[in-house]
Amino acid sequence: MAITDIYNGVMAFQVDKVKELTQAELDAGTDIETILNDGLIGAMDEVGEKFSEGLLFVPEMLMAAKAMKGGLEILKPHLSEEVSHSKGTVVIGTVKGDLHDIGKNLVAMMMEGAGLTIVDLGVDVDAEKFVEAAKNNNADVVALSALLTTTMPAMETTIKAIKEAGLSAKTIIGGAPVTEAFANEIGADGRSDDAPGAVELVRQIVGA
Ligand code: B1M
């Protein structure tokens, strides 16, 4: 058994096998970050490259994503640190027009694991829905994810709407195409490359 077996399982769209192997690695004491980065996420990176090169197509991307999600589900309970009471509330979602949710789910899981209350709005979420949820849940942070260059402008629209609604919630953004320069340009309060970094940003904001 090796991490490469998980990687290969994702590449071969083997949901059950990826679940089994992820559980086996956990049982063997392999750390979660290694399983995530070298197994699950690493494979998705290759899927993305192959897609760009025209060697894989959307249905295959979906099947690989499903296999990866299977592994993530196994890891989910173990992403938890000590959870006693909520350290803050985060409204999270993938912005309007964007259906990618694997990275967003990972961010949400890790935040939940860090003791934060998560209100997950799903994918293709418009600015009004973010505003409403932030208001109704008295959110400390609104976290926006985008994986497409074409949906990045929806982040700006959403941040603008949150500010115009006079909400005190801070905004953080992330997703593969999102740069620090873009975050500054649209007035986001923070940006992170990955899930652990997003947790750290929220911790700084809520002082946890
Ligand atoms: Co799509 N897709 N996709 N896709 N897809 C990408 C993103 C792409 C880079 C592939 C490529 O061309 N190489 C490309 C985008 C190009 C661009 O705009 N720059 C692309 C494209 C073009 C498309 C379609 C347009 C394809 C088509 O139909 N022609 C289409 C768009 C649909 C839509 O959204 N409207 C599409 C569809 C799909 C599927 C539905 C098939 C599927 C998504 C399934 C799902 O999410 N449920 C899919 C997938 C799986 C991918 C790739 C292969 C993998 C994405 C992924 O899940 N990565 C992706 C290529 C790639 O990224 N390697 C690709 C693993 C995940 C853990 O990483 O989401 O980056 P990621 O999350 C990271 C960080 O970004 C960060 O933390 C996570 C890790 O710790 N992060 C945050 C994410 N959100 C954050 C928020 C934060 C902080 C950090 O704070 C709030």
Side-chain angles (χ1 to χ4, degrees), residues 4-203:
T4 45
D5 294 331
I6 296 180
Y7 187 107
N8 293 335
V10 174
M11 295 302 296
F13 324 132
Q14 294 168 317
V15 183
D16 291 340
K17 191 167 175 202
V18 169
K19 281 184 177 173
E20 268 167 42
L21 290 168
T22 302
Q23 187 62 57
E25 285 295 338
L26 273 178
D27 294 343
T30 308
D31 69 281
I32 291 175
E33 240 173 274
T34 305
I35 302 175
L36 261 178
N37 294 334
D38 299 351
L40 300 170
I41 295 177
M44 288 313 288
D45 282 344
E46 188 179 338
V47 168
E49 279 159 27
K50 289 216 156 109
F51 176 79
S52 300
E53 290 162 12
L55 299 172
L56 282 182
F57 301 97
V58 172
E60 286 142 326
M61 269 210 285
L62 264 180
M63 289 189 285
K66 203 170 164 197
M68 188 210 181
K69 274 185 168 180
L72 271 186
E73 278 306 310
I74 301 292
L75 291 183
K76 187 174 177 180
H78 303 273
L79 290 169
S80 296
E81 293 175 359
E82 286 226 318
V83 187
S84 47
H85 59 93
S86 175
K87 295 173 176 154
T89 299
V90 180
V91 166
I92 189 167
T94 303
V95 296
K96 181 80 189 153
D98 201 320
L99 302 177
H100 294 86
D101 69 354
I102 298 172
K104 183 267 295 169
N105 290 346
L106 189 52
V107 172
M109 278 181 209
M110 292 201 70
M111 286 181 177
E112 206 177 355
L116 296 154
T117 299
I118 303 302
V119 180
D120 189 345
L121 303 179
V123 297
D124 191 21
V125 182
D126 62 31
E128 292 70 31
K129 202 165 169 201
F130 275 112
V131 169
E132 198 186 310
K135 236 186 237 170
N136 293 344
N137 294 284
N138 198 18
D140 299 292
V141 175
V142 177
L144 311 175
S145 181
L147 263 287
L148 298 171
T149 43
T150 50
T151 55
M152 286 165 65
M155 292 180 141
E156 183 170 17
T157 314
T158 306
I159 290 176
K160 209 169 153 217
I162 288 165
K163 288 186 175 157
E164 279 173 7
L167 300 178
S168 60
K170 301 283 184 200
T171 51
I172 66 166
I173 63 173
V178 176
T179 62
E180 197 68 38
F182 178 72
N184 291 334
E185 190 186 312
I186 67 169
D189 296 301
R191 181 207 73 105
S192 163
D193 273 336
D194 57 19
V199 172
E200 196 43 47
L201 276 177
V202 176
R203 279 194 170 132

